Amino acid sequence: MRPLVALDVDGILADFLEGALDAIHHVTGRHYHSQEVSQWCPWLQFKLQPEETEAVFDLIGTPGFCESLQLLPGAREGVDSLRKVANIVVVTSPWLSSPTWAFERTAWLKRHFGFTENQIVHTSAKQYISADVFVDDHATNVRAWAATNSGIPLMWDCTHNRRIDLPRVTGWDQLTKIVTDLKKGIAA
């Protein structure tokens, strides 16, 4: 039996952070680098004014933003490697103010990874998705999932979550090894 891995998108497959930093630059004129981001919400870390934050959110919600996000380095190869040992379901939070986010995210995942609609779940309530392994870069999601599931919760290592003490994975090779070891245990 193959393990089921529930995999987040932003911060693992898609470079949402660079897109958000570009939106912040467009609104404020200030330029930040991804390595400077030490918390999940860069608009809070960089102390944007409420009207600036609203303008950034509006840009993120603009049709075309989601589909224009860049693929993170190694993501395609990592998913290909993981597919050899596990089934994958993508669990992704929609940007609720965007009327096209879910459509664009689905198209993006099909284009870059070949995922089908049946392999993609659009929800902010990720804790209700049952899987053997759950991988996300947001501590709130990892904790909520761990509280309601018996599988392995893993935090994908990013600059914004390094100070958070949760079981983490630092790359695709490590994740594939964890899942391979789990698969051996399931088969035994």
Side-chain angles (χ1 to χ4, degrees):
M1 187 163 136
R2 292 166 60 87
L4 177 62
V5 177
L7 196 60
D8 179 34
V9 175
D10 294 316
I12 299 174
L13 305 177
D15 198 349
F16 176 85
L17 180 57
E18 281 301 325
L21 292 176
D22 286 347
I24 289 170
H25 179 253
H26 181 80
V27 169
T28 68
R30 298 187 305 266
H31 184 74
Y32 300 102
H33 298 281
S34 60
Q35 295 303 315
E36 296 176 77
V37 178
S38 62
Q39 62 179 274
W40 194 76
C41 298
W43 39 87
L44 295 177
Q45 177 181 340
F46 299 128
K47 298 180 178 17
L48 270 60
Q49 297 300 311
E51 62 277 3
E52 292 173 324
T53 300
E54 184 177 340
V56 167
F57 285 8
D58 287 346
L59 281 175
I60 292 171
T62 301
F65 178 90
C66 179
E67 200 163 2
S68 73
L69 294 175
Q70 296 298 304
L71 184 67
L72 281 167
R76 184 176 291 121
E77 298 81 6
V79 167
D80 288 345
S81 177
L82 193 58
R83 280 182 166 142
K84 293 175 184 172
V85 296
N87 296 321
I88 303 171
V89 62
V90 175
V91 185
T92 182
S93 297
W95 194 266
L96 296 176
S97 66
S98 173
T100 60
W101 189 275
F103 176 81
E104 290 181 36
R105 176 54 49 92
T106 299
W108 190 92
L109 288 164
K110 283 180 180 181
R111 184 173 70 250
H112 290 291
F113 299 97
F115 285 114
T116 66
E117 290 89 352
N118 293 335
Q119 296 169 310
I120 303 167
V121 178
H122 297 274
T123 183
S124 297
K126 296 179 181 184
Q127 70 271 20
Y128 298 121
I129 303 301
S130 180
D132 298 301
V133 178
F134 176 79
V135 186
D136 202 299
D137 67 319
H138 192 344
T140 300
N141 293 333
V142 175
R143 287 185 183 114
W145 191 88
T148 57
N149 289 273
S150 61
I152 301 170
L154 295 170
M155 173 108 74
W156 188 265
D157 188 61
C158 295
T159 58
H160 66 78
N161 66 28
R162 294 225 168 103
R163 292 183 280 174
I164 300 169
D165 185 26
L166 283 170
R168 68 182 52 240
V169 63
T170 59
W172 291 103
D173 290 342
Q174 183 186 14
L175 177 58
T176 301
K177 181 179 181 338
I178 290 168
V179 174
T180 299
D181 292 347
L182 176 64
K183 181 179 177 183
K184 290 176 186 172
I186 290 173

